[in-house]
Amino acid sequence: MDARTGPPAPPGRIAVRLSDLGELAAALPHLLGFRPAESVVLVGLVGPGARRLGMTARADIPPVEAGRAMARLLAAKVVTGRPAGVVAVVVSEAGDAEVGDAEDGDAEQGLPHRGLMGHLCAALAEHAVPVRDVLLVRGGRWWSYDCPERCCAPGVGTALPDGVTELEVAAVAAGVVVEPDRATLAARVAPPEGLDRSAMAAVCAQVALECAERILDGGWDTVTGESWAAVLEALARCRPGAVVRLTDREVARVVWGLRDRSVRDLALQLALGEDAPAAEQLWTECTRRAPVPLDAAAATLLAVSAWVRGDGATAGIALDRALAGEPGYALARLLSEALDACLSPDELRRLIRSAAAAGR
C-alpha cells in the first residue's frame, strides 16, 4: 500500500509515503500523538485510489457485550472524513484465542478480538466503506486477520519496521512529540509541578484591577488594543529559539485579555499562520499556569491549534480542561460537539477564515 498523511501542500502538514501495512502499523503513535494500548484504531484512506491517510479514530477496547455499539460509534466518526477505504487495527497484548468447536476437537488457536473486528467491518459496511485490511499489533509484531500465509499464523507475525522511519523524521520536523500514553499527553496541559497557585492568583487579581482602571480611564477599545498587543508580545516570546519563560504577569495579562471575545477571536486566527507553533506553545503555557476559570479561553485556543494540525487527542484533552474550568464556556462547548462529530481540520480552517472575514 502507498499512502500519505495529507496532500502535499499546506505548510505544517506532514506528507510522507508509507509503503506497506507494517509501516502503517508502526506509524500509529505518530498519527495519534501517543502510543496506543488496548485500543481499536480506524485509519481512513482518502484521495484517488485511497492512497493518502485521512482521519484516524481511536477507542479503548470495550467489553465483549459493548463491542457492536462501540464499533458503530467509531465507524460513524471515521466516515465523516469521507474515506474511500479504512484500515482497522487492534493494538492489544491479549493472548491468542481458541476458535472452533472445542467439544468436537476442532478448536485451534486464533488471533484475539476477531469478533470485535467483525463488528467493525459490519459497521463500516453499513456506510458502504470498504475495509482494506484488518490488523493486530502486539508485542512489536503485526498480523493481518485476513492473511492465510504462515507469517500471519498465531504466534508468528511480522516484526514492525525498526530504525527511523520517514514519518518519524517528518513528525520531528513538524514538532510532533509522541507520548508513551494518553495520560502523559494529558499531563502536557496539567499545572506544572511546583506552581505557586496563590501567587499566580494574586497576580491575576492585580492585573484584573489594572484592566478595570484602564477601561474607566481610556475606554473599552483602548484596553482591547492593549490586550491584543500583550498577546502578540507573549507570542513573540514563544517562537522557536526563545529561551526566556513568560512571567506570571505576562500570563495573567494574556488570559485576562482573552476574556474579551474580540481578542479571543483574533487569537483564533493565529492557528492558521506562520506563528501557529508559537501560538500553540503560548496557549499551552497559559492553560497550565492560569487559575480557573481564566484557563478556559487559552485551553480552547489550544484545542483549535491542535485540531487544525490534525491532533484530535490533544484537542479533546484541551477542551475537557476548558469545560472543567468553565462548564458554560460557549466556544469550548461548540467545539467539543464539533470534535465529537469529527469536524475535519480543513472544515475548521474554513470556519475560522469565514468568521475572520465576517468580522472585518
Side-chain angles (χ1 to χ4, degrees), residues 36 48 91 139 217:
V91 182
D217 293 341

Side-chain angles (χ1 to χ4, degrees), residues 30-82:
H30 299 279
L31 297 177
L32 295 169
F34 61 95
R35 300 188 184 281
E38 300 305 316
S39 299
V40 181
V41 184
L42 297 182
V43 181
L45 304 175
V46 299
R51 300 171 71 83
R52 288 191 292 112
L53 297 183
M55 182 174 292
T56 301
R58 186 210 70 90
D60 293 337
I61 293 175
V64 172
E65 62 273 15
R68 189 187 303 274
M70 185 282 296
R72 286 177 170 167
L73 286 173
L74 203 61
K77 283 194 171 187
V78 81
V79 299
T80 60
R82 299 189 180 93

